Amino acid sequence: MRRRIETVLHAPERHWVGNGFLVRPLFADAAFTASISPFLMLDWAAERRFPPSATPRGVGPHPHRGFETVTLVHAGEVAHRDSAGHADRIGPGDVQWMTAGAGLVHEEMLGASIDEAGGAVSMAQLWVNLPKASKATPPRYQAITSDRIPEIVSSGVTLRLVAGSLGELVGPAATHTELIVAEARIAAGAELVWPVPEGWTAMVAVLTGRISAEDRQVASETVALFARTGGEVVVTGVAAESRLLLLAGEPIAEPIAAMGPFVMNTHEDLIRAVEDFRLGRMGRL
């Protein structure tokens, strides 16, 4: 039985995050709501060419607590540094999975090669919620290079599994809840059949191109949110090639309290997070 599309999420216009990422929030008004749990937010930076710059570009030091950030690089590079002692740089095809947990301060800058010589930049950043029992977990950083991400190529569909399992395929990311994060490229006329466990949230974010599902077309920079009942998600490529982000997960049945860089369960938790950050309890860069 195929899952039906519950709704199509149409993103508002782009905005700058820092001075290095011009993003479109693809979850629109559904962001930080129970309808997309365990996911929270998805920013998409379509490909943009930057000239050389003597001023470093990106997002300077800022805190996070209570969730995870997942950055998937399509073009360019990101240099990461955090107060837990992690420092790394990732490039096209790589993924960084950062668990903020109890709290840290980090920065994400365009790599030195972009500042020095200019170049194209494109990436997506997904926020994944943590259940209450894991919100105080120590911060963790996973650098997942492209060569570690398993890939399936079949009948016009190429799928890369970052987290979770699909059949015998297992993604390299360690997660705190049951979920699937995968990237896919689909040719015109090709069909992608994706089995999702009953009761799970399931979404297909069309980053570029166009697909159809249930005779309904879903355009570029749009997200199809499927019903939690039913079996497979089935989509067909319409554009010559479409790039997709496949997201599925077991919903977290807990309140969501979000304020800026903190995602907790109550307003009191948020006030405590702000105070801990101001007092330096999340560390400093």
Side-chain angles (χ1 to χ4, degrees), residues 14-25:
R14 294 173 175 81
H15 66 272
W16 284 97
V17 176
N19 64 353
F21 305 101
L22 183 60
V23 305
R24 199 165 186 190

Side-chain angles (χ1 to χ4, degrees), residues 190-215:
E191 186 177 75
L192 186 154
V193 180
W194 176 31
V196 179
E198 180 75 17
W200 279 27
T201 298
M203 291 183 282
V204 175
V206 183
L207 304 180
T208 64
R210 182 182 292 267
I211 63 169
S212 68
E214 302 179 303
D215 297 323

Side-chain angles (χ1 to χ4, degrees), residues 3-65:
R3 292 192 181 211
R4 60 179 180 81
I5 293 179
E6 188 101 323
T7 187
V8 174
L9 308 176
H10 297 279
E13 291 304 308
R14 294 173 175 81
H15 66 272
W16 284 97
V17 176
N19 64 353
F21 305 101
L22 183 60
V23 305
R24 199 165 186 190
L26 297 191
F27 287 165
D29 292 341
F32 301 98
T33 68
S35 65
I36 60 168
S37 180
F39 307 104
L40 296 165
M41 187 185 85
L42 176 61
D43 276 349
W44 164 239
E47 186 166 311
R48 178 183 180 86
R49 184 161 291 275
F50 285 84
S53 173
T55 303
R57 289 170 296 200
V59 185
H62 58 284
H64 287 306
R65 172 180 279 182

Side-chain angles (χ1 to χ4, degrees), residues 23-193:
V23 305
R24 199 165 186 190
L26 297 191
F27 287 165
D29 292 341
F32 301 98
T33 68
S35 65
I36 60 168
S37 180
F39 307 104
L40 296 165
M41 187 185 85
L42 176 61
D43 276 349
W44 164 239
E47 186 166 311
R48 178 183 180 86
R49 184 161 291 275
F50 285 84
S53 173
T55 303
R57 289 170 296 200
V59 185
H62 58 284
H64 287 306
R65 172 180 279 182
F67 65 101
E68 303 178 290
T69 66
V70 182
T71 305
L72 307 101
V73 179
H74 289 201
E77 62 180 15
V78 178
H80 166 93
R81 190 167 63 101
D82 66 44
S83 59
H86 307 112
D88 191 35
R89 182 174 296 170
I90 60 170
D94 299 340
V95 176
Q96 65 176 28
W97 195 297
M98 187 191 78
T99 304
L104 49 59
V105 177
H106 80 143
E107 66 177 16
E108 295 168 296
M109 308 299 290
L110 299 187
S113 65
I114 302 295
D115 287 334
E116 292 169 4
V121 173
S122 176
M123 58 196 66
Q125 186 172 88
L126 173 71
W127 288 17
V128 180
N129 201 9
L130 288 171
K132 183 177 181 179
S134 298
K135 287 189 180 293
T137 193
R140 178 176 64 185
Y141 178 83
Q142 301 176 72
I144 304 170
T145 53
S146 180
D147 60 305
R148 294 179 54 209
I149 300 174
E151 182 176 279
I152 298 175
V153 181
S154 176
S155 303
V157 176
T158 300
L159 186 144
R160 303 172 73 234
L161 184 61
V162 176
S165 60
L166 291 172
E168 296 182 356
L169 211 64
V170 178
T175 67
H176 285 267
T177 60
E178 293 293 323
L179 51 80
I180 295 169
V181 175
E183 295 182 305
R185 298 195 307 273
I186 181 171
E191 186 177 75
L192 186 154
V193 180

